[in-house]
Amino acid sequence: MLDGIHGKPNGEPFILLGVRGGKREKLMQAARQALGLPTAVVVDWAEWLEQPALLTAALSARPCVFKIDSPGDDARLHGMLMHQGSAALGRGVPRLPDTGEIAVSGAWFAGFSLALQRVEAELAALPHVQVMNTPRELLLMTDKLACQQHFAARGIPIPRLLGPVEGYAHLRAVLDEHGLNQVFLKTRYGSSASGVVAYRRNSRGAEQATSSADLVRGEGGARLYNVKRLRSYNAQADIVQLIDLLADQQTYAEAWISKPRLGDGHYDVRVVTLGGQPAHRVARVGTRMMTNLHLDNQRADVAGLLGEKDHAALEQTARAAAATFPQSHVIGLDIVVRKGRAHVLEANAFGDLLPKLLWQGQDTYAAQLQSCASHEA
């Protein structure tokens, strides 16, 4: 890991395991060009899965910096990881998802885990490679439930975890057990609010589920698709089917935390830590339950929203959370802060995709290159 090394980037080879031609690669290459650095060597995820020697050859440069980036939502790559994961689990290959379909299953995560375990084994024999975020910690952040359990065990404040949910009937039993009427449900391996449900009920028996998942029924049965405009479900039959389908993808529940208000909406904060220190931060403002920016929500300046106590709580909690991942140089943290207290909603292994968001005059990609610059040999 880079251990918070700071200095001026010196042009050492930079190897990126990512999606060639994707947004993330383009932003990284633009940042390197702006800093006067050589173009990063890109090993495409799908090409590497088919030809493992590609990464071996790329990492042979001495010394070099290596970053593992998101495999993204490419359908072919998703299918490759599902195939490999299914084989490892001894299961039949599941039906490959349609474009936009919510299908981040245990088979996908098993395939992703196998891939990163291969990378980890390779890195063990390459001490000259400086790794921006280690495979082991990337995997832990990708497993949302395990990550929150990791935080809780280390005293990082998070929403109260209620555990895995096996379906609608089980959810109701969990709520009764804890005396709750509202809860957030999240898919264990999901990202970008995919499959997240805000569920509420009242004493009169009315209930509502709000989600980025669109329930579509067809001849082949019901399926769920990601949508940008949140859907509200009020009919019990729809809610039952929605939650039962998501439970098949290993959903878990956590207590509902109220977010601070801003006008007609409310917000949480995405903070990017670099070398364990809070850097870029942006308030994500929405009028509904999910504030992810891709759901047509708005950015706002954190400095203009937080008072002194809230600002201190945000920084302290971000540092403490990042410290529990000592081998990860770049982390995206989603945090709710109000009344001088902060809670971490989740850690994002690939949470630096925040175009045009500046910190000390640099975007997230230029700043991470600057902050991870190695010492001269």
Side-chain angles (χ1 to χ4, degrees), residues 49-286:
L49 290 176
E50 293 179 333
Q51 303 176 66
L54 290 175
L55 184 60
T56 305
L59 293 176
S60 64
R62 294 176 178 269
C64 64
V65 178
F66 176 46
K67 181 181 182 184
I68 304 167
D69 218 335
S70 170
D73 55 4
D74 177 78
R76 176 170 170 262
L77 177 53
H78 190 97
M80 293 172 72
L81 292 171
M82 287 185 70
H83 272 86
Q84 294 186 9
S86 296
L89 295 170
R91 301 176 185 170
V93 178
R95 174 186 61 80
L96 295 183
D98 295 338
T99 301
E101 185 177 359
I102 299 173
V104 183
S105 63
W108 175 89
F109 185 73
F112 185 58
S113 299
L114 276 176
L116 289 194
Q117 287 162 12
R118 282 166 49 195
V119 175
E120 184 175 47
E122 188 153 353
L123 290 171
L126 301 171
H128 64 276
V129 178
Q130 298 182 80
V131 185
M132 192 168 283
N133 285 25
T134 62
R136 189 180 301 270
E137 293 194 353
L138 287 177
L139 279 175
L140 179 53
M141 282 186 266
T142 303
D143 184 337
K144 300 299 183 185
L145 175 57
C147 184
Q148 290 299 82
Q149 291 168 335
H150 164 87
F151 280 146
R154 288 155 181 78
I156 305 301
I158 63 168
R160 181 157 53 116
L161 280 177
L162 307 178
V165 170
E166 298 169 6
Y168 173 80
H170 184 227
L171 170 65
R172 299 279 299 199
V174 168
L175 291 175
D176 291 343
E177 176 187 353
H178 292 277
L180 297 173
N181 286 321
Q182 54 186 22
V183 68
F184 271 93
L185 304 176
K186 299 181 178 180
T187 50
R188 183 165 186 166
Y189 310 117
S191 62
S192 302
S194 179
V196 175
V197 177
Y199 174 86
R200 297 185 287 192
R201 65 179 185 177
N202 62 29
S203 58
R204 300 186 300 277
E207 56 187 336
Q208 181 185 70
T210 301
S211 179
S212 59
D214 186 26
L215 178 62
V216 178
R217 297 183 176 93
E219 291 183 3
R223 298 182 185 179
L224 298 174
Y225 293 84
N226 287 307
V227 289
K228 291 184 70 173
R229 190 174 296 277
L230 297 181
R231 290 288 313 275
S232 290
Y233 300 90
N234 299 290
Q236 187 180 58
D238 291 340
I239 296 173
V240 169
Q241 193 161 37
L242 171 71
I243 293 174
D244 284 350
L245 285 170
L246 288 171
D248 289 340
Q249 300 191 42
Q250 300 186 53
T251 292
Y252 67 97
E254 64 182 28
W256 188 306
I257 288 187
S258 297
K259 297 177 180 179
R261 302 291 303 181
L262 179 62
D264 295 332
H266 49 255
Y267 67 93
D268 59 14
V269 179
R270 165 65 61 86
V271 180
V272 177
T273 62
L274 301 176
Q277 297 302 311
H280 302 75
R281 70 280 313 267
V282 60
R284 310 183 304 178
V285 186

